[in-house]
mmCIF file of all heavy atoms in Angstrom:
data_model
loop_
_atom_site.group_PDB
_atom_site.id
_atom_site.type_symbol
_atom_site.label_atom_id
_atom_site.label_comp_id
_atom_site.label_asym_id
_atom_site.label_seq_id
_atom_site.Cartn_x
_atom_site.Cartn_y
_atom_site.Cartn_z
ATOM 1 N N ILE A 29 -259.674 -73.571 88.085
ATOM 2 C CA ILE A 29 -260.786 -73.477 87.250
ATOM 3 C C ILE A 29 -261.138 -74.933 86.723
ATOM 4 O O ILE A 29 -262.350 -75.385 86.701
ATOM 5 C CB ILE A 29 -260.544 -72.655 85.973
ATOM 6 C CG1 ILE A 29 -260.464 -71.180 86.457
ATOM 7 C CG2 ILE A 29 -261.663 -72.719 84.930
ATOM 8 C CD1 ILE A 29 -260.022 -70.225 85.426
ATOM 9 N N ASP A 30 -260.148 -75.764 86.555
ATOM 10 C CA ASP A 30 -260.385 -77.180 86.081
ATOM 11 C C ASP A 30 -261.109 -77.928 87.222
ATOM 12 O O ASP A 30 -261.915 -78.690 87.021
ATOM 13 C CB ASP A 30 -259.081 -77.783 85.761
ATOM 14 C CG ASP A 30 -258.388 -77.234 84.434
ATOM 15 O OD1 ASP A 30 -259.238 -76.639 83.600
ATOM 16 O OD2 ASP A 30 -257.157 -77.328 84.233
ATOM 17 N N TRP A 40 -269.593 -77.495 96.576
ATOM 18 C CA TRP A 40 -268.646 -77.348 97.665
ATOM 19 C C TRP A 40 -268.013 -75.958 97.670
ATOM 20 O O TRP A 40 -267.851 -75.337 98.728
ATOM 21 C CB TRP A 40 -267.523 -78.432 97.538
ATOM 22 C CG TRP A 40 -266.419 -78.282 98.451
ATOM 23 C CD1 TRP A 40 -266.342 -78.826 99.830
ATOM 24 C CD2 TRP A 40 -265.215 -77.549 98.232
ATOM 25 N NE1 TRP A 40 -265.206 -78.440 100.414
ATOM 26 C CE2 TRP A 40 -264.361 -77.666 99.440
ATOM 27 C CE3 TRP A 40 -264.667 -76.908 97.203
ATOM 28 C CZ2 TRP A 40 -263.174 -77.119 99.522
ATOM 29 C CZ3 TRP A 40 -263.481 -76.355 97.296
ATOM 30 C CH2 TRP A 40 -262.682 -76.457 98.479
ATOM 31 N N PRO A 151 -259.766 -70.188 129.130
ATOM 32 C CA PRO A 151 -259.114 -69.375 128.109
ATOM 33 C C PRO A 151 -257.860 -70.115 127.626
ATOM 34 O O PRO A 151 -257.167 -70.871 128.420
ATOM 35 C CB PRO A 151 -258.676 -68.105 128.778
ATOM 36 C CG PRO A 151 -259.631 -67.912 129.852
ATOM 37 C CD PRO A 151 -259.931 -69.289 130.368
ATOM 38 N N VAL A 352 -195.697 -96.658 162.437
ATOM 39 C CA VAL A 352 -194.497 -96.041 162.882
ATOM 40 C C VAL A 352 -194.504 -95.624 164.345
ATOM 41 O O VAL A 352 -193.493 -95.688 165.043
ATOM 42 C CB VAL A 352 -194.157 -94.766 161.953
ATOM 43 C CG1 VAL A 352 -193.005 -93.979 162.447
ATOM 44 C CG2 VAL A 352 -193.837 -95.322 160.533
ATOM 45 N N THR A 426 -231.124 -67.479 113.109
ATOM 46 C CA THR A 426 -231.904 -66.274 113.380
ATOM 47 C C THR A 426 -231.779 -65.270 112.215
ATOM 48 O O THR A 426 -232.746 -64.747 111.726
ATOM 49 C CB THR A 426 -231.458 -65.686 114.737
ATOM 50 O OG1 THR A 426 -231.680 -66.562 115.751
ATOM 51 C CG2 THR A 426 -232.190 -64.393 114.877
ATOM 52 N N GLY A 472 -223.115 -26.197 96.642
ATOM 53 C CA GLY A 472 -222.677 -25.081 95.869
ATOM 54 C C GLY A 472 -221.512 -24.303 96.543
ATOM 55 O O GLY A 472 -221.041 -24.722 97.552
ATOM 56 N N VAL A 527 -237.048 -51.925 97.334
ATOM 57 C CA VAL A 527 -237.313 -53.066 98.109
ATOM 58 C C VAL A 527 -237.521 -54.311 97.321
ATOM 59 O O VAL A 527 -236.999 -55.345 97.553
ATOM 60 C CB VAL A 527 -238.527 -52.781 99.109
ATOM 61 C CG1 VAL A 527 -239.001 -54.057 99.812
ATOM 62 C CG2 VAL A 527 -238.195 -51.593 100.105
ATOM 63 N N ASP A 603 -228.608 -58.817 117.702
ATOM 64 C CA ASP A 603 -227.956 -57.536 117.419
ATOM 65 C C ASP A 603 -226.824 -57.704 116.324
ATOM 66 O O ASP A 603 -226.326 -56.629 115.787
ATOM 67 C CB ASP A 603 -227.405 -56.854 118.642
ATOM 68 C CG ASP A 603 -228.428 -56.186 119.535
ATOM 69 O OD1 ASP A 603 -229.452 -55.784 118.897
ATOM 70 O OD2 ASP A 603 -228.284 -56.172 120.715
ATOM 71 N N ASP A 705 -257.071 -50.589 70.469
ATOM 72 C CA ASP A 705 -257.893 -49.600 71.138
ATOM 73 C C ASP A 705 -257.145 -48.963 72.255
ATOM 74 O O ASP A 705 -257.239 -47.789 72.613
ATOM 75 C CB ASP A 705 -259.182 -50.233 71.626
ATOM 76 C CG ASP A 705 -260.157 -50.540 70.503
ATOM 77 O OD1 ASP A 705 -260.011 -49.988 69.399
ATOM 78 O OD2 ASP A 705 -261.076 -51.448 70.728
ATOM 79 N N VAL A 736 -255.056 -39.834 84.080
ATOM 80 C CA VAL A 736 -255.218 -40.999 83.127
ATOM 81 C C VAL A 736 -256.592 -41.725 83.514
ATOM 82 O O VAL A 736 -257.459 -42.005 82.725
ATOM 83 C CB VAL A 736 -254.044 -41.957 83.165
ATOM 84 C CG1 VAL A 736 -254.388 -43.265 82.406
ATOM 85 C CG2 VAL A 736 -252.855 -41.304 82.618
ATOM 86 N N LEU A 749 -255.765 -27.992 90.034
ATOM 87 C CA LEU A 749 -255.697 -29.118 90.912
ATOM 88 C C LEU A 749 -257.003 -29.318 91.632
ATOM 89 O O LEU A 749 -257.404 -30.496 91.871
ATOM 90 C CB LEU A 749 -254.547 -28.826 91.921
ATOM 91 C CG LEU A 749 -253.111 -29.263 91.565
ATOM 92 C CD1 LEU A 749 -252.191 -28.823 92.681
ATOM 93 C CD2 LEU A 749 -253.053 -30.773 91.402
ATOM 94 N N GLN A 849 -257.338 -49.002 105.136
ATOM 95 C CA GLN A 849 -256.535 -49.844 106.063
ATOM 96 C C GLN A 849 -255.645 -50.698 105.372
ATOM 97 O O GLN A 849 -255.085 -51.652 105.970
ATOM 98 C CB GLN A 849 -257.544 -50.708 106.947
ATOM 99 C CG GLN A 849 -258.330 -50.000 108.091
ATOM 100 C CD GLN A 849 -259.136 -50.960 108.820
ATOM 101 O OE1 GLN A 849 -260.143 -51.419 108.375
ATOM 102 N NE2 GLN A 849 -258.736 -51.279 110.087
ATOM 103 N N CYS A 917 -260.732 -20.698 98.757
ATOM 104 C CA CYS A 917 -261.149 -19.708 99.736
ATOM 105 C C CYS A 917 -260.095 -18.621 99.836
ATOM 106 O O CYS A 917 -259.066 -18.683 100.560
ATOM 107 C CB CYS A 917 -261.301 -20.488 101.122
ATOM 108 S SG CYS A 917 -261.793 -19.387 102.435
ATOM 109 N N PHE A 1017 -228.314 -14.492 90.793
ATOM 110 C CA PHE A 1017 -227.577 -14.055 89.623
ATOM 111 C C PHE A 1017 -228.538 -13.506 88.529
ATOM 112 O O PHE A 1017 -228.324 -13.699 87.324
ATOM 113 C CB PHE A 1017 -226.703 -15.226 89.068
ATOM 114 C CG PHE A 1017 -225.578 -15.694 90.043
ATOM 115 C CD1 PHE A 1017 -225.884 -16.630 90.865
ATOM 116 C CD2 PHE A 1017 -224.394 -15.020 89.912
ATOM 117 C CE1 PHE A 1017 -224.900 -17.057 91.765
ATOM 118 C CE2 PHE A 1017 -223.401 -15.444 90.805
ATOM 119 C CZ PHE A 1017 -223.688 -16.486 91.667
ATOM 120 N N LEU A 1055 -231.982 2.900 103.319
ATOM 121 C CA LEU A 1055 -232.231 1.538 103.827
ATOM 122 C C LEU A 1055 -231.670 1.390 105.256
ATOM 123 O O LEU A 1055 -230.567 1.889 105.535
ATOM 124 C CB LEU A 1055 -231.623 0.490 102.920
ATOM 125 C CG LEU A 1055 -232.232 0.175 101.475
ATOM 126 C CD1 LEU A 1055 -231.543 -0.918 100.839
ATOM 127 C CD2 LEU A 1055 -233.662 -0.022 101.574
ATOM 128 N N LEU A 1083 -215.451 -11.461 97.349
ATOM 129 C CA LEU A 1083 -215.013 -11.137 95.970
ATOM 130 C C LEU A 1083 -215.260 -9.665 95.624
ATOM 131 O O LEU A 1083 -215.879 -9.409 94.545
ATOM 132 C CB LEU A 1083 -215.583 -12.069 94.957
ATOM 133 C CG LEU A 1083 -215.218 -13.550 95.251
ATOM 134 C CD1 LEU A 1083 -216.035 -14.359 94.266
ATOM 135 C CD2 LEU A 1083 -213.735 -13.752 95.020
ATOM 136 N N ILE A 1084 -214.951 -8.761 96.397
ATOM 137 C CA ILE A 1084 -215.167 -7.342 96.133
ATOM 138 C C ILE A 1084 -213.869 -6.596 95.808
ATOM 139 O O ILE A 1084 -212.859 -6.789 96.392
ATOM 140 C CB ILE A 1084 -215.789 -6.659 97.414
ATOM 141 C CG1 ILE A 1084 -217.109 -7.357 97.796
ATOM 142 C CG2 ILE A 1084 -216.030 -5.163 97.160
ATOM 143 C CD1 ILE A 1084 -218.219 -7.163 96.911
ATOM 144 N N SER A 1095 -217.968 3.265 105.351
ATOM 145 C CA SER A 1095 -219.338 3.211 105.917
ATOM 146 C C SER A 1095 -219.295 2.478 107.266
ATOM 147 O O SER A 1095 -219.808 3.030 108.294
ATOM 148 C CB SER A 1095 -220.351 2.634 105.013
ATOM 149 O OG SER A 1095 -220.443 3.419 103.827
ATOM 150 N N VAL A 1160 -200.444 -20.879 106.364
ATOM 151 C CA VAL A 1160 -199.778 -20.381 107.691
ATOM 152 C C VAL A 1160 -198.503 -21.085 107.948
ATOM 153 O O VAL A 1160 -198.200 -22.135 107.453
ATOM 154 C CB VAL A 1160 -200.749 -20.584 108.841
ATOM 155 C CG1 VAL A 1160 -201.996 -19.792 108.697
ATOM 156 C CG2 VAL A 1160 -201.031 -22.059 109.056
#
Side-chain angles (χ1 to χ4, degrees):
I29 294 173
D30 292 338
W40 172 87
V352 171
T426 298
V527 172
D603 285 334
D705 290 341
V736 171
L749 271 177
Q849 282 183 288
C917 182
F1017 293 93
L1055 291 186
L1083 297 173
I1084 301 294
S1095 299
V1160 298

